[in-house]
Amino acid sequence: MKALQPSAIGTTTFGAARLYRDDLEAAIGLLSNAGLKTRIACSRFEYESIDELARAAGPTPKDVKFEGVAEGYWGNVSLHRSGRLWFVSSYDESLRGVANELEAILRKRQTRVHALPLFWVFQAGTVTLGVGGMARTASASTSLVLLAIGGALWVVSLALSLYWYLFPGLVLKYRHDSFLSRNRDSILLLVAGGVITVVIQALFSRFTGP
């Protein structure tokens, strides 16, 4: 008879976070420094190193686990990617500090887009488009304003959702710290906000100008 491993004491989920090789090496270092035996695995195989993982699974694997296992008892902590989400799980209260440090690595790499209520922006754009279409017979100018604003909200929400969906959560290469990589999210959000602002200002000028 063999005892089964207990369920995780705590699991935290992260969306839209991209980790690089630098981050994985830091995570493995945290596990090793905590006196844990490190393990790299996917659903089918276990790997000796990040290099072997990259050779076998490619530069952006979608299913991988980095785990630290305590010797002699069930305690362990893991950093696990499945699909587009990352998970940090701990199976022993004494390892919660290590789990918190792993979570800090993920928070540092989360895109700011994940915090936006894109679903509701999309819904607001859809409703505005519908109201604009129905208002056409009553007032052509009002209908045009609503259609333009709804269209802008709709396009921006779709573009940001696509960016999030295509966002690679794991890149097994070292991170190149450039102006674009540091400010990609800010630039994207500025462009999205600028599109909506320009549309609203243009319509305001069109219907309030001389």
Side-chain angles (χ1 to χ4, degrees), residues 122-132 134:
F122 177 81
Q123 292 298 323
T126 302
V127 170
T128 306
L129 284 171
V131 174
M134 291 186 292

Side-chain angles (χ1 to χ4, degrees), residues 14 17-20 22-28 30 79 98-110:
F14 294 84
R18 176 190 293 165
L19 297 188
Y20 293 85
D22 318 51
D23 304 307
L24 298 182
E25 290 178 351
I28 291 173
L30 286 172
L79 173 66
V98 180
N100 289 339
E101 292 185 76
L102 294 176
E103 291 172 8
I105 293 175
L106 282 164
R107 288 193 182 94
K108 184 173 65 174
R109 295 295 183 227
Q110 270 189 311

Side-chain angles (χ1 to χ4, degrees), residues 133-143:
M134 291 186 292
R136 184 177 304 173
T137 56
S139 172
S141 60
T142 300
S143 174

Side-chain angles (χ1 to χ4, degrees), residues 76-165:
N76 68 52
V77 60
S78 67
L79 173 66
H80 175 214
R81 184 186 183 214
S82 180
R84 292 185 293 117
L85 299 175
W86 281 98
F87 304 90
V88 174
S89 300
S90 59
Y91 294 83
D92 188 280
E93 195 59 43
S94 65
L95 298 175
R96 189 60 220 169
V98 180
N100 289 339
E101 292 185 76
L102 294 176
E103 291 172 8
I105 293 175
L106 282 164
R107 288 193 182 94
K108 184 173 65 174
R109 295 295 183 227
Q110 270 189 311
T111 173
R112 291 166 59 188
V113 175
H114 88 282
L116 297 177
L118 295 180
F119 174 79
W120 296 111
V121 174
F122 177 81
Q123 292 298 323
T126 302
V127 170
T128 306
L129 284 171
V131 174
M134 291 186 292
R136 184 177 304 173
T137 56
S139 172
S141 60
T142 300
S143 174
L144 179 60
V145 170
L146 292 173
L147 288 173
I149 294 175
L153 292 173
W154 200 73
V155 169
V156 166
S157 65
L158 280 179
L160 293 177
S161 296
L162 183 62
Y163 170 73
W164 184 5
Y165 182 79

